[in-house]
Amino acid sequence: LQRLLEIAEGSEFLRLQVEGGGCSGFQYKFSLDTVINPDDRQGQRGVLVVRCGARVVVDMDSLAFVKGSMVDFSQELIRSSFQVVSNPQAEKGCSCGTSFSVKF
């Protein structure tokens, strides 16, 4: 939350999306956004975290792939990024942590 609060300006929030691709079939995409779309889920159902003014918004299609997930900020020597560190919908992920396959 601390890093999100540091980089978000005004009404910006962190958007988490799931797209097809990556080495495991699906990949996470993070971006800062200010526009709430009609298919976004907020409140208890779509926002993964709301604390100290920090918000994470997920669209309805992506929510099915990340429901119950935990987002964290990771800072390493070669990169710093937001990551999904725990996803109960994922069967396995790649070593880079950005792609995953879905449980069926």
Side-chain angles (χ1 to χ4, degrees):
L1 291 175
Q2 182 63 36
R3 183 62 181 145
L4 180 54
L5 290 170
E6 290 171 1
I7 63 172
E9 297 178 4
S11 61
E12 286 184 322
F13 53 84
L14 184 67
R15 176 176 295 284
L16 169 57
Q17 293 175 287
V18 174
E19 299 177 337
C23 54
S24 297
F26 294 93
Q27 60 189 1
Y28 303 111
K29 179 181 175 188
F30 289 96
S31 61
L32 289 177
D33 201 348
T34 58
V35 177
I36 300 293
N37 299 315
D39 68 334
D40 287 337
R41 296 293 158 237
Q42 296 186 77
Q44 297 289 338
R45 295 187 182 144
V47 175
L48 302 179
V49 146
V50 177
R51 289 200 183 126
C52 305
R55 296 185 298 159
V56 178
V57 175
V58 181
D59 63 84
M60 188 60 153
D61 292 336
S62 298
L63 184 60
F65 295 102
V66 296
K67 190 173 184 178
S69 294
M70 185 183 307
V71 175
D72 196 8
F73 183 76
S74 174
Q75 195 162 7
E76 302 168 1
L77 289 174
I78 59 172
R79 73 173 178 180
S80 300
S81 63
F82 288 99
Q83 296 180 341
V84 175
V85 294
S86 174
N87 183 350
Q89 310 308 318
E91 184 171 58
K92 63 178 183 169
C94 68
S95 62
C96 68
T98 60
S99 70
F100 65 100
S101 61
V102 178
K103 289 181 183 177
F104 289 105

